[in-house]
Amino acid sequence: MQPEQRFSPEYACFSHSPSSNTFVQFNTAAEFRKTYILKKCIALLYSCASSLPKLKQLHAFSVRHGVPLADADMGKHLIFKVVSLSGPMLYARRLFDQIPHPNIFTWDTMIRGYAESDDPYPALDIYRRLRGGSGYPDTHTYPFLLKAVAKLAVLREGEKVHCAAMKDGFASLMFVQNALVHFYGVCGRAESALQVFDKMPARDLVAWNSVINMFASNGMPNEALTLYGKMGLENVKPDGFTLVSLLTACSELGALALGRRSHVYMIKRGLDKNLHAANALVVHYSKCGNIKEAKKVFDGMEEKSVVSWTSLVVGMAVNGFGEEALELFKEMERRRLGPSEITFVGVLYACSHCGMVNEGFAYFDRMTKVYGIVPKIEHHGCMVDLMGRAGLVQKAYDYIRSMPIEPNAVIWRTLLGACTISGNLEIAEIARDRLRKLDPRHCGDYVLLSNLYASEKRWSDVHKVRKAMVKDGIKKVPGHSLVELGNRVHEFVMGDTSHAQSEAIYAMLSEMTRLLRLQGYAPNTSNVLADIEEEEKETALSYHSEKIAVAFMLINTPVGTPIRIVKNLRVCGDCHLAIKLLSKIFERDIVVRDCSRFHHFRDGGCSCKDYW
């Protein structure tokens, strides 16, 4: 016998409520039956509706038994379950639109659902409807809404939400403040994020992670490391997310030793088993030029995702081990792992930096025909770079003109760089004209064109370019080199005398120059693109930041210790030649990471085989 058949109509007008130990009166047996069915449906929602098809079956059951869609209780629980199951928001929206007076829980659930979906924009529409009606936000509304605007990265809308949260008195809540830090970080507003963070009376691990990740992801690695140090002073224990951000910062600075200590801490805490953390380690060691350690971490992973394979493929490619990168990609294919768009960026990069033009075109065709990946601007950029590095400037220009998508500034800048190397002034001026329209304030374009004119000894044109830079307020980015020593990253610029050890550094530079000349080295003054005397050119070359960094490490590290340098610009030909010889003279492995690739110098040779 069904439970609803146990009661006679004369007793059906009363129901006992166990929670309050009272009796609830119903006008009719039908009303009692409807309430019973409603409670039964809600109970089944949480006990049986473990998938979307089952949820829809239960929804149909409630409709058949007279529970209307407009019922606020049923609608509330149905919508919550749809969102919890990551169901289609279109379904949730149809349910929501049929509830005449949704409560704040339902409004928040809809905002949360959109915030977690692929299209978070409707969350703003739901919020506006809430404010436009009789509803009033609560403590959950703003964290969900800020998550949506962070996903959209719409700064103005987020600032409006921040103001509204302040007016409603919710801006001081920890969850709202955490969401604000994350939002401003995603939008690249470090100052605003830090302002919110500094005002927080109590900061949990989420807040620390948000702001450290913000600095690490926005090109401020020093700030990320400083904040990590403060986090330790406040006895907040890092988790996997913290360490991924920390490794990102270490990677940017080339801080291998600090990354190693993070790795040791991860092993102690068992965090190295986390897939995301392990992937971050592979990237870190690759970006610090220690591809052997990156491979060791990769081989020790119990679980490997496509991201893991891609990280090592890209790492090997940028470190100059193009053939090994392609072998790894082939192994990935043999294991039937579907490569991603980023995997092919690594593959094409490997071909580009190893001069494998035919192989590059073959892999490009394979990407589109075998894997059905539609080439993006990054893939086209790799192809232009592939041809440009091989001296096929005209072919690269023709390729750009036939591209199915509009070439961006990076594509034209890649072509301009290739023209500078090959001396093709005609196409260089075409590329520069395009760049004036697309990205007129990029200093690198002026420098590349100026260098090309200088290499042709067209000094009047060099003067015109530099005059235009002054007129437009464009400043050349100074070259600098970073090295890690004793838990600290040291920075050097050309002719730097600010360091406490300057006297010893310049004494070592003189000794380096003496030993280089004994090896037959003569300064390659063609790299000094200025109209000055030959002697001045030789002096300028001696004081390049990477040579100063080498001298500093030679006087501060034991014999045989590898030297690792991070350079923000492309290493010049003279420094490349000098460091090759220095690696042999001092019997040191010297790894230089410039703006486009790694150079592993050993015993007078370089991993790039002089092709870069």
Side-chain angles (χ1 to χ4, degrees):
M1 183 180 290
Q2 295 298 318
E4 60 264 35
Q5 294 174 325
R6 293 177 187 169
F7 301 95
S8 301
E10 59 268 27
Y11 296 110
C13 56
F14 289 95
S15 175
H16 181 250
S17 175
S19 61
S20 60
N21 202 29
T22 59
F23 284 88
V24 179
Q25 185 173 352
F26 297 96
N27 294 325
T28 64
E31 188 178 336
F32 170 80
R33 185 175 182 280
K34 175 189 162 185
T35 303
Y36 173 76
I37 292 292
L38 173 62
K39 288 182 178 179
K40 183 177 181 180
C41 287
I42 291 170
L44 288 170
L45 265 176
Y46 292 97
S47 62
C48 303
S50 56
S51 64
L52 193 63
K54 288 181 180 178
L55 181 72
K56 288 184 175 180
Q57 284 178 353
L58 193 55
H59 182 189
F61 173 83
S62 69
V63 173
R64 270 201 318 271
H65 287 77
V67 179
L69 290 175
D71 186 285
D73 256 356
M74 188 63 192
K76 173 180 79 172
H77 291 290
L78 263 175
I79 291 169
F80 178 77
K81 200 64 182 176
V82 171
V83 169
S84 299
L85 291 170
S86 301
M89 284 308 295
L90 182 63
Y91 179 32
R93 185 63 177 262
R94 284 174 181 165
L95 294 170
F96 179 77
D97 288 340
Q98 293 182 62
I99 302 174
H101 302 292
N103 61 16
I104 188 59
F105 176 84
T106 310
W107 287 99
D108 287 346
T109 303
M110 287 299 295
I111 293 170
R112 172 198 157 195
Y114 281 120
E116 294 173 352
S117 72
D118 293 332
D119 180 21
Y121 195 82
L124 289 167
D125 176 55
I126 295 290
Y127 171 71
R128 292 186 192 109
R129 281 178 58 183
L130 167 64
R131 298 308 301 248
S134 57
Y136 188 79
D138 69 354
T139 55
H140 294 91
T141 309
Y142 288 109
F144 293 143
L145 186 61
L146 284 164
K147 184 175 182 178
V149 292
K151 223 172 181 181
L152 293 164
V154 281
L155 181 62
R156 294 295 179 199
E157 290 294 338
E159 287 175 333
K160 289 177 188 175
V161 173
H162 188 177
C163 289
M166 290 175 72
K167 287 177 183 176
D168 291 338
F170 295 123
S172 60
L173 296 176
M174 183 183 287
F175 291 121
V176 176
Q177 290 174 326
N178 284 346
L180 282 167
V181 170
H182 174 67
F183 160 70
Y184 283 121
V186 167
C187 292
R189 293 291 294 269
E191 199 174 302
S192 299
L194 197 58
Q195 194 174 29
V196 174
F197 180 78
D198 286 340
K199 288 180 179 177
M200 292 176 71
R203 296 186 284 242
D204 63 1
L205 182 58
V206 174
W208 285 98
N209 281 349
S210 294
V211 77
I212 291 171
N213 180 62
M214 174 202 64
F215 282 131
S217 304
N218 285 283
M220 292 180 277
N222 283 314
E223 290 84 348
L225 296 182
T226 300
L227 207 63
Y228 177 73
K230 289 180 180 177
M231 178 181 167
L233 292 174
E234 293 195 18
N235 292 319
V236 180
K237 298 294 181 185
D239 65 359
F241 293 106
T242 322
L243 291 164
V244 167
S245 298
L246 181 65
L247 287 168
T248 301
C250 293
S251 301
E252 286 302 307
L253 292 168
L256 179 64
L258 182 56
R260 275 197 178 122
R261 286 197 294 279
S262 302
H263 188 180
V264 170
Y265 179 83
M266 288 167 69
I267 293 169
K268 286 180 179 177
R269 293 281 305 274
L271 296 171
D272 60 317
K273 305 300 179 188
N274 178 282
L275 183 59
H276 296 296
N279 288 341
L281 277 169
V282 173
V283 172
H284 166 68
Y285 284 122
S286 298
K287 282 194 170 185
C288 289
N290 194 332
I291 205 69
K292 184 179 179 181
E293 200 67 36
K295 184 76 165 58
K296 186 177 176 182
V297 172
F298 177 82
D299 290 339
M301 291 170 67
E302 294 175 3
E303 177 191 357
K304 297 184 184 78
S305 65
V306 171
V307 174
S308 312
W309 287 84
T310 297
S311 298
L312 192 57
V313 168
V314 173
M316 284 183 164
V318 297
N319 274 276
F321 304 108
E323 292 176 0
E324 292 87 340
L326 296 178
E327 280 302 316
L328 189 68
F329 175 73
K330 289 172 185 174
E331 176 63 24
M332 186 178 174
E333 285 190 307
R334 282 193 288 270
R335 293 175 183 243
R336 301 189 180 279
L337 288 166
S340 67
E341 298 165 353
I342 300 171
T343 315
F344 273 102
V345 169
V347 168
L348 295 174
Y349 192 98
C351 294
S352 172
H353 284 261
C354 292
M356 296 186 286
V357 178
N358 293 333
E359 291 88 342
F361 275 96
Y363 278 115
F364 188 85
D365 287 343
R366 187 167 179 76
M367 176 182 75
T368 55
K369 293 174 182 175
V370 176
Y371 294 102
I373 296 173
V374 178
K376 292 193 172 180
I377 199 77
E378 295 84 0
H379 302 108
H380 290 297
C382 286
M383 296 305 291
V384 172
D385 188 52
L386 174 74
M387 290 175 271
R389 287 179 186 277
L392 306 172
V393 175
Q394 183 63 52
K395 190 173 181 180
Y397 176 53
D398 293 339
Y399 180 91
I400 292 172
R401 293 173 66 191
S402 63
M403 276 171 53
I405 53 179
E406 191 68 26
N408 63 7
V410 176
I411 297 283
W412 288 109
R413 192 167 294 123
T414 302
L415 182 66
L416 180 58
C419 292
T420 306
I421 295 168
S422 64
N424 193 318
L425 194 55
E426 182 184 351
I427 294 178
E429 288 176 337
I430 293 170
R432 180 69 189 104
D433 286 339
R434 298 297 176 94
L435 285 165
R436 279 196 188 100
K437 296 173 185 175
L438 293 169
D439 191 5
R441 298 192 60 79
H442 194 282
C443 70
D445 304 334
Y446 289 87
V447 173
L448 283 171
L449 192 61
S450 173
N451 288 351
L452 182 52
Y453 285 137
S455 66
E456 297 290 317
K457 302 199 183 315
R458 291 173 53 170
W459 302 115
S460 61
D461 288 320
V462 171
H463 180 68
K464 285 177 186 175
V465 173
R466 292 180 180 175
K467 191 175 178 181
M469 286 182 74
V470 174
K471 182 183 175 183
D472 296 338
I474 309 296
K475 291 185 178 180
K476 181 181 179 294
V477 175
H480 68 250
S481 294
L482 305 174
V483 288
E484 182 190 22
L485 182 71
N487 297 331
R488 184 181 161 198
V489 175
H490 299 258
E491 180 178 344
F492 299 97
V493 296
M494 181 177 172
D496 198 346
T497 57
S498 62
H499 200 277
Q501 291 182 273
S502 281
E503 192 175 333
I505 290 169
Y506 279 89
M508 176 54 76
L509 273 173
S510 297
E511 178 64 10
M512 284 162 52
T513 303
R514 185 185 73 80
L515 293 171
L516 282 168
R517 289 188 184 279
L518 290 175
Q519 291 287 325
Y521 162 80
N524 185 358
T525 55
S526 65
N527 287 281
V528 182
L529 301 172
D531 192 12
I532 57 176
E533 294 297 325
E534 196 71 16
E535 189 176 335
E536 291 178 275
K537 289 184 178 183
E538 290 187 16
T539 303
L541 287 171
S542 299
Y543 298 151
H544 276 193
S545 65
E546 51 267 61
K547 287 177 183 166
I548 296 174
V550 169
F552 171 75
M553 293 301 279
L554 284 173
I555 63 176
N556 284 289
T557 55
V559 174
T561 306
I563 296 172
R564 301 177 191 279
I565 301 168
V566 176
K567 175 80 186 283
N568 67 324
L569 303 176
R570 185 178 183 271
V571 64
C572 77
D574 179 75
C575 286
H576 191 270
L577 171 62
I579 296 173
K580 276 202 303 184
L581 292 171
L582 289 169
S583 70
K584 183 179 180 181
I585 293 166
F586 291 96
E587 297 181 348
R588 299 273 197 127
D589 285 357
I590 304 175
V591 181
V592 178
R593 182 180 108 196
D594 69 10
C595 61
S596 65
R597 67 170 299 153
F598 280 85
H599 298 271
H600 292 256
F601 299 97
R602 174 181 287 181
D603 196 29
C606 180
S607 59
C608 74
K609 301 182 177 76
D610 296 339
Y611 185 88
W612 87 98

